[in-house]
Amino acid sequence: MTIKRIIPCLDVNKGRVVKGVSFTNLQDAGDPVELAAYYDREGADEIVFLDITASHEKRKTVIELVSKTAEKVFIPYTIGGGINKIEDMREILKKGADKISVSTSAVENPDLIREGAKIFGSRCIVVAIDAKKKNDNSWEVYIHGGRTATGMDVLEWSKEVEKLGAGEILLTSMDKDGKKDGYDIELTKIVSSGVGIPVIASGGAGNLEHLKDAILLGGADAVLVASIFHYGQYTIRQAKEYLRSEGIEVRL
């Protein structure tokens, strides 16, 4: 088994970390740079920042956040939200980010994935997919922070972004987000078994067993975690020790 990663997710809204349920009812969870630095010290493998209203409000991710994070955080970190041009990617990577996450812009302009991968390398390009379940046991891709249905099938889009050169998929279940009753294992398994690139499971972590299930049952290469870390329910060390006790390879 390859080494599995634990990745705290910092959803940023107007300069603050927030957490909600199914992308709504947002509650404040702290300063993004200070939280990221804390998770770095605690042993997180990576950090993901998602400016969750950037695409909807048609504004760019705050470059200042990238620069400040680079001064205090020494593990890889990903920035997403409102990135819709190669120039945006170049500026964010130049300021210190390790990876770029695209969602809305990737759907609206798939060539952005291909161009970004060609210029910066596939490992720098993460495609975030927000998925909502349909009645026919399939999932639909949503954009604009979960506000707009696209009519696109999640599995088909996952395969397409791999062909275009994405190095990783950040897969969020909108149905599970913030509810703390576990990841959508079926969704995660379908996508992780349908593509050859790493899949990060997101949406629904409420206890450490949920992390294990996403990896062992869902086939995830990494788990994105927010609430249970932000509000002190568990530490990253506790999570990693638990996963190791369940036979999952992690970095301690």
Side-chain angles (χ1 to χ4, degrees):
M1 181 184 291
T2 58
I3 293 176
K4 304 301 181 180
R5 292 166 290 151
I6 292 182
I7 307 175
C9 180
L10 308 184
D11 288 336
V12 180
N13 182 32
K14 299 177 181 177
R16 299 289 292 178
V17 177
V18 295
K19 193 69 194 92
V21 177
S22 297
F23 293 25
T24 61
N25 301 319
L26 303 177
Q27 303 295 318
D28 188 272
D31 177 80
V33 178
E34 294 305 318
L35 261 179
Y38 167 75
Y39 289 134
D40 185 349
R41 295 191 300 271
E42 289 292 298
D45 295 296
E46 298 178 23
I47 302 284
V48 168
F49 293 95
L50 296 177
D51 191 332
I52 58 174
T53 57
S55 295
H56 175 61
E57 296 174 0
K58 304 299 182 187
R59 59 177 168 76
K60 289 174 63 178
T61 298
V62 181
I63 297 299
E64 185 181 359
L65 170 64
V66 187
S67 300
K68 287 183 176 179
T69 302
E71 295 172 3
K72 294 189 175 184
V73 175
F74 304 100
I75 56 175
Y77 64 96
T78 300
I79 298 283
I83 300 167
N84 50 38
K85 321 190 275 293
I86 291 297
E87 290 74 17
D88 296 338
M89 293 182 175
R90 180 176 286 110
E91 187 174 10
I92 288 170
L93 292 170
K94 188 176 179 180
K95 292 290 186 179
D98 297 271
K99 301 177 187 178
I100 296 295
S101 173
V102 287
S103 176
T104 300
S105 58
V107 170
E108 293 177 341
N109 177 22
D111 277 342
L112 185 65
I113 303 171
R114 182 186 291 111
E115 292 174 21
K118 182 178 179 180
I119 295 170
F120 308 113
S122 290
R123 64 165 296 279
C124 291
I125 308 300
V126 179
V127 174
I129 300 176
D130 296 332
K132 183 177 270 191
K133 193 167 189 178
K134 298 167 68 176
N135 293 331
D136 61 355
N137 208 36
S138 65
W139 288 262
E140 185 175 2
V141 177
Y142 276 66
I143 56 174
H144 299 129
R147 295 170 179 84
T148 306
T150 65
M152 298 166 60
D153 178 76
V154 167
L155 179 58
E156 293 308 311
W157 177 232
S158 299
K159 292 177 177 179
E160 181 63 20
V161 303
E162 180 181 19
K163 290 178 185 175
L164 288 167
E168 200 160 31
I169 290 171
L170 171 52
L171 180 65
T172 300
S173 166
M174 292 178 61
D175 306 296
K176 292 286 191 174
D177 179 71
K179 295 182 179 177
K180 299 185 181 181
D181 60 355
Y183 297 90
D184 189 327
I185 301 300
E186 188 180 4
L187 168 66
T188 305
K189 185 175 182 179
I190 284 174
V191 174
S192 64
S193 61
V195 298
I197 56 177
V199 173
I200 305 169
S202 169
N207 59 47
L208 301 184
E209 187 175 355
H210 293 155
L211 310 187
K212 176 193 73 172
D213 289 345
I215 294 168
L216 294 184
L217 303 180
D221 295 272
V223 284
L224 203 71
V225 185
S227 300
I228 64 173
F229 289 159
H230 294 346
Y231 302 119
Q233 186 177 346
Y234 299 101
T235 66
I236 291 171
R237 181 79 186 188
Q238 286 174 321
K240 288 193 170 186
E241 288 178 346
Y242 169 77
L243 293 179
R244 177 164 283 190
S245 74
E246 294 292 326
I248 296 170
E249 187 95 22
V250 293
R251 290 187 184 89
L252 278 175

